[in-house]
């Protein structure tokens, strides 16, 4: 399929007449076409399409369809149907009234092409640039970020189900790609009886002994299949089939293969004592190699991904402002400036730097960045300050035993002299050693007081409980330490707490994304396509907010009840 970069076609005259008559006040699709047509062009997609072959549908048109699809929470079939029967969609797409639209599978192939070419954010970035040029988004303002979990599009599997379903997935793939080769290496009848229906915990034997035996059978079948695929006489492309490669990983992560005293092969399912891979490497499904298990607190446990949304945040206009003034003048809409998707195991602190880097690349880095306590660290706070970004975020307090117990002397009780590289304790005694070290790949300083100094100190029991009887402190380098101490002191003030209340508004954005686009449930499998889903979801939310800014104002006025209206009339 090739592409002829033409962008959105001109709207036929008859379509304009009918759409204007049907929607005299306009609609979201009509206003998006009238005001944002320059966003949905073909040129950014040229690298994903060839120059030879039959021309395909315009990428600009398909990207507009997907934005409208997410804005209205539609499936592919519903979106394809809307392109045929909805007059305002025909107007937006520049289609004739008699146009029969396209097949729903076109959207699936278009998403695959974008994901394969790393173009998940093209439309989102173009809309952000458009808003920047229009003066709706700018650098130096206030922005806030928060994350939420995303459940994968595949079913949850326990470890036994995962082992069996991985064998089944590999067999299904080989039955399509290499049926003759597969029939020559396995007993098709036996395997079809065992792996024909999907592996489900409800169909498994109830006793633990039988389940352990079934786990061994799954392991034996996986080993036999992998040995056949990696044999010298096996075609090399057999091993390149994704399901076969995933089967091998699941086999290594789930089983241990040993040889007993008689030289027999023994297959044993791994347990905690045998060691299991860390969460960021452990496969959770043979159908989505990027989905991971993760937990947050004691109540939330899910398999899938995590999304971070960043938006501008403006404050409400003064209550004394003229109520008759034009709604939408003087107040900017809150627009999403970045969407960052990772697998579920990546902590929030790992997302801070990539988010701020993306904002800087697009020239919309904030002057103040509001985040919760999962995002900051001393290094990130210092680095952001050097880039002109002030992180307004609660930082973790001193986690020493003394600070946790609120008894004795924490780090704040010690006086640090960075020039002489000495620390003075509350009893007035100085440290004996100042050792710069590396801890978890970061610079740190270990301060040690002499045993002789601490042994006879009357404040020893309030200072340390170590067996050696001496106090040790671990500090960050001077600049990081001072920034961290300043942040800890500042967040205790009422002024900071009142200011930080602005961050809470991002919860409403996440709720809007959940209600409109279903952002907490992945529609597709694999991290690239989930990123594409989230990029189009964020684009759809921005279009909805821009539409509100064009019509009713960026900050919708609260609804007034009939009782309140009656009260206003009586008081007047």
């Amino acid at each position: 399929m090739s592409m002829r970069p033409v962008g959105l076609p001109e709207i036929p005259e008859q379509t304009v007449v009918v759409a204007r008559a049907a929607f005299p006040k306009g609609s979201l699709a009509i206003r998006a076409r009238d005001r944002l047509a320059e966003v949905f062009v073909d040129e950014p997609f040229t690298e994903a399409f060839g120059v030879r072959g039959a021309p395909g549908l315009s990428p600009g048109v398909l990207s507009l369809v997907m934005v409208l699809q997410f804005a209205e929470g539609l499936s592919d079939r519903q979106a394809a149907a809307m392109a045929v029967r909805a007059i305002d969609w025909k107007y937006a797409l520049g289609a004739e009234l008699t146009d029969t639209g396209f097949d729903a599978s076109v959207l699936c192939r278009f998403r695959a092409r974008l994901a394969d070419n790393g173009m998940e954010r093209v439309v989102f970035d173009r809309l952000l640039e458009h808003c920047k040029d229009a003066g709706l988004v700018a650098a130096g303002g206030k922005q806030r970020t928060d994350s939420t979990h995303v459940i994968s599009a595949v079913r949850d599997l326990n470890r036994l189900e995962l082992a069996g379903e991985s064998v089944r997935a590999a067999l299904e793939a080989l039955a399509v790609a290499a049926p003759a080769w597969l029939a020559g290496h396995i007993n098709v009848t036996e395997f079809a009886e065992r792996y024909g229906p999907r592996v489900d915990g409800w169909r498994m034997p109830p006793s633990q002994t039988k389940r352990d035996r079934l786990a061994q059978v799954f392991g034996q079948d996986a080993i036999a299949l992998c040995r056949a695929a990696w044999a010298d006489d096996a075609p090399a492309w057999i091993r390149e089939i994704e399901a076969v490669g995933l089967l091998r990983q699941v086999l290594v992560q789930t089983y241990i293969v040993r040889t007993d005293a008689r030289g027999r092969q023994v297959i044993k399912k791994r347990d905690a004592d045998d060691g299991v891979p860390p969460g960021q490497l452990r496969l959770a499904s043979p159908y989505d190699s990027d989905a991971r298990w993760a937990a947050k607190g004691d109540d939330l446990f899910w398999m899938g991904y995590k999304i971070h949304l960043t938006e501008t945040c403006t404050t409400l206009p003064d209550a004394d402002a003229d109520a008759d003034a034009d709604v939408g003048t003087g107040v900017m809409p809150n627009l999403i400036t970045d969407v960052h998707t990772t697998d579920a195991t990546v902590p929030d602190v790992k997302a801070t730097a990539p988010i701020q880097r993306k904002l800087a690349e697009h020239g919309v880095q904030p002057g103040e960045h509001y985040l919760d306590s999962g995002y900051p660290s001393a290094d990130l706070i210092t680095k952001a300050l050097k880039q002109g970004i002030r992180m307004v975020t609660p930082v973790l307090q001193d986690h020493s035993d003394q600070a946790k117990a609120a008894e004795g002397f924490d780090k704040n009780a010690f006086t640090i002299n960075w020039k002489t590289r000495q620390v003075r304790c509350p009893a007035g005694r100085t440290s004996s050693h100042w050792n710069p070290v590396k801890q978890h790949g970061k610079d740190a300083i270990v301060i040690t007081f002499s045993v002789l100094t601490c042994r006879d100190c009357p404040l020893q029991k309030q200072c340390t409980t170590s067996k050696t009887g001496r106090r040790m402190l671990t500090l960050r380098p001077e600049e990081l330490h001072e920034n961290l101490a300043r942040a800890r002191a500042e967040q205790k003030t009422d002024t900071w707490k009142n200011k930080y209340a602005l961050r809470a508004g991002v919860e409403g954005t996440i709720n809007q994304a959940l209600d409109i686009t279903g952002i907490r449930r992945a529609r597709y499998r694999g991290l690239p396509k989930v990123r594409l889903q989230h990029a189009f979801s964020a684009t759809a939310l921005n279009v909805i907010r821009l539409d509100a800014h064009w019509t009713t104002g960026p900050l919708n006025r609260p609804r007034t009840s009939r009782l309140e209206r009656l009260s206003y009339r009586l008081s007047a």
Side-chain angles (χ1 to χ4, degrees), residues 1-3 48-57 109 113:
M1 184 172 63
S2 64
M3 182 189 71
F49 292 82
V51 296
R52 303 178 62 183
L57 291 175
R109 294 197 297 270
R113 190 176 290 267

Side-chain angles (χ1 to χ4, degrees), residues 315-356:
T315 55
L316 288 170
D318 294 337
D320 297 334
D322 185 5
D324 296 328
D326 289 339
V327 179
T329 59
V331 181
M332 297 296 183
N334 293 340
L335 298 176
I336 298 174
T337 54
D338 187 72
V339 52
H340 184 70
T341 306
T342 66
D343 71 69
T345 62
V346 178
D348 291 350
V349 69
K350 296 291 185 181
T352 307
I355 290 172
Q356 293 179 347

